[in-house]
Amino acid sequence: MCNCPLSLSCDLLDVFGGIAFFPLDKMTYLKIQSFVNRVEESLSLIKYTAFLYNDQLIWSGLEQDDMRILYKYLTTSLFPRHSEPELAGRDSPLRPEVAGNLLHYGRFLTGPANLKDPEAKFRFPRIFVNTEDSYEELHLIVYKAMSAAVCFMISASVELTREFCEQLDGLVGPQLTLLASDICEQYNVNRRISGPDKEPQFKFIYFNHMNLAEKSTIHMRKTASVSLTSVHPDLMKILGDINCDFARVDEDEEIIVKAMTDYWVVGKKSDQRELYVILNQKNANLIEVNEEVKRLCATQFNNIFFLD
């Protein structure tokens, strides 16, 4: 039995409930780790931090199950409500805030909409995370600059004041703005190195049950109310059927389906990882489809072992 019926608002990604991770080079990742350490040292009230870019996770101090729930809330509820044209670098038509000599584009997504408003409310949503004994109640501060967002979690027993929020804004805003720009530039460099975007002959969904990592080239946008995919709903239903077959058995296996629309659909399950591939190769035979999937595994998942 499937965990979730596949529809416009619910599909294979809802069944997995995974986390999309943003690919980064080591140096940029270390910059983010250093940023998190500096902020937590300067603002000792912060108990946990999570760092995201383009709605994808880079760093988290939470346990995996807690981060999974928070990630779902951020990407399907909070972020879509605050969507705006994202900035592509340090130059922006928007008016930046000034902190000392540094311009920054930081703002609170939870809490005060405008720090300069004398009537601003300093109330933040509260979340509960698992601890060894019970649950820990926390304030959730989500702060964003350009495409980078940071979640700061602080004990709910602490009263958050205007002074604290101004201190956080002055400390985090300039650093996060520069970091977001660095990540964007690094991402663009990597895209140039990898060559121009070409329409691939395949689309795929990947999920790792061990670290909850998911990756999809099928989904264009996912919110709480709608899932926009680049393939026909009938093909999504086939993916769901394969997933249900995988859920019935513990052994690793592979399933290949020839769809009525001249598409091939392949599912591979190996070592708690699942890969679903949709191939648009009308005249291919079973051997050619299998070779194409092997090439995909070699190019996209070269450090992941799939059983042949």
Side-chain angles (χ1 to χ4, degrees):
M1 184 87 180
C2 269
N3 298 336
C4 185
L6 300 184
S7 68
L8 280 176
S9 59
C10 188
D11 64 26
L12 205 54
L13 292 190
D14 296 284
V15 175
F16 293 143
I19 297 170
F21 289 89
F22 189 83
L24 264 189
D25 64 289
K26 289 180 182 178
M27 284 306 299
T28 309
Y29 182 81
L30 288 173
K31 285 182 184 178
I32 291 167
Q33 199 171 27
S34 175
F35 161 78
V36 170
N37 291 341
R38 286 197 307 272
V39 173
E40 289 184 346
E41 187 177 339
S42 300
L43 302 174
S44 57
L45 290 177
I46 296 171
K47 298 201 72 174
Y48 308 101
T49 303
F51 191 109
L52 299 92
Y53 186 86
N54 267 356
D55 296 1
Q56 295 173 287
L57 185 64
I58 293 177
W59 165 273
S60 172
L62 287 174
E63 291 294 326
Q64 198 174 74
D65 287 340
D66 292 322
M67 190 62 231
R68 172 187 236 167
I69 297 168
L70 177 59
Y71 181 80
K72 175 86 171 177
Y73 163 68
L74 294 172
T75 56
T76 64
S77 180
L78 183 66
F79 291 164
R81 291 204 310 268
H82 293 84
S83 60
E84 64 179 16
E86 293 296 357
L87 311 178
R90 290 187 175 88
D91 298 328
S92 166
L94 303 179
R95 183 185 300 276
E97 296 295 323
V98 180
N101 294 322
L102 289 173
L103 301 179
H104 79 81
Y105 300 96
R107 61 195 177 96
F108 289 90
L109 295 192
T110 60
N114 183 359
L115 279 177
K116 294 183 172 62
D117 181 1
E119 303 297 319
K121 306 293 185 187
F122 294 88
R123 290 196 296 267
F124 294 86
R126 296 190 180 193
I127 62 172
F128 293 84
V129 300
N130 287 297
T131 60
E132 288 183 6
D133 304 318
S134 59
Y135 292 100
E136 184 178 10
E137 187 176 3
L138 303 162
H139 295 291
L140 174 63
I141 300 175
V142 183
Y143 189 91
K144 189 173 187 184
M146 302 194 285
S147 295
V150 191
C151 303
F152 299 112
M153 285 145 274
I154 295 171
S155 174
S157 62
V158 175
E159 182 183 354
L160 297 179
T161 63
R162 177 186 293 274
E163 289 71 30
F164 175 82
C165 291
E166 288 175 345
Q167 184 184 4
L168 187 150
D169 181 64
L171 174 69
V172 174
Q175 295 184 65
L176 189 59
T177 299
L178 291 174
L179 260 183
S181 183
D182 287 345
I183 296 169
C184 179
E185 289 168 14
Q186 185 62 46
Y187 177 70
N188 288 335
V189 166
N190 291 341
R191 287 188 66 180
R192 283 196 296 271
I193 292 171
S194 62
D197 291 337
K198 290 181 287 190
E199 182 66 23
Q201 290 189 304
F202 54 77
K203 296 179 185 294
F204 67 86
I205 296 175
Y206 163 79
F207 180 66
N208 183 332
H209 288 270
M210 290 177 284
N211 63 3
L212 305 181
E214 70 179 21
K215 185 175 181 180
S216 172
T217 61
I218 288 172
H219 293 78
M220 297 179 289
R221 188 164 64 89
K222 184 94 176 89
T223 68
S225 59
V226 68
S227 175
L228 292 180
T229 60
S230 57
V231 301
H232 193 276
D234 289 348
L235 293 173
M236 293 301 294
K237 185 179 184 306
I238 293 173
L239 296 184
D241 291 341
I242 294 174
N243 173 258
C244 287
D245 288 338
F246 285 166
R248 292 190 186 103
V249 294
D250 294 328
E251 293 81 15
D252 296 341
E253 64 176 319
E254 179 179 63
I255 297 174
I256 300 178
V257 177
K258 178 72 163 67
M260 295 293 289
T261 51
D262 293 323
Y263 282 86
W264 289 86
V265 182
V266 180
K268 291 174 79 74
K269 177 185 177 185
S270 176
D271 193 24
Q272 297 193 60
R273 299 176 174 93
E274 295 179 31
L275 176 67
Y276 301 83
V277 184
I278 296 174
L279 288 154
N280 182 13
Q281 293 193 344
K282 180 178 177 179
N283 299 316
N285 58 37
L286 203 59
I287 295 173
E288 290 168 337
V289 168
N290 198 40
E291 288 301 317
E292 192 66 36
V293 173
K294 281 184 180 178
R295 277 195 290 273
L296 168 64
C297 291
T299 56
Q300 296 287 334
F301 307 102
N302 58 350
N303 61 337
I304 295 172
F305 174 62
F306 281 110
L307 291 178
D308 288 332

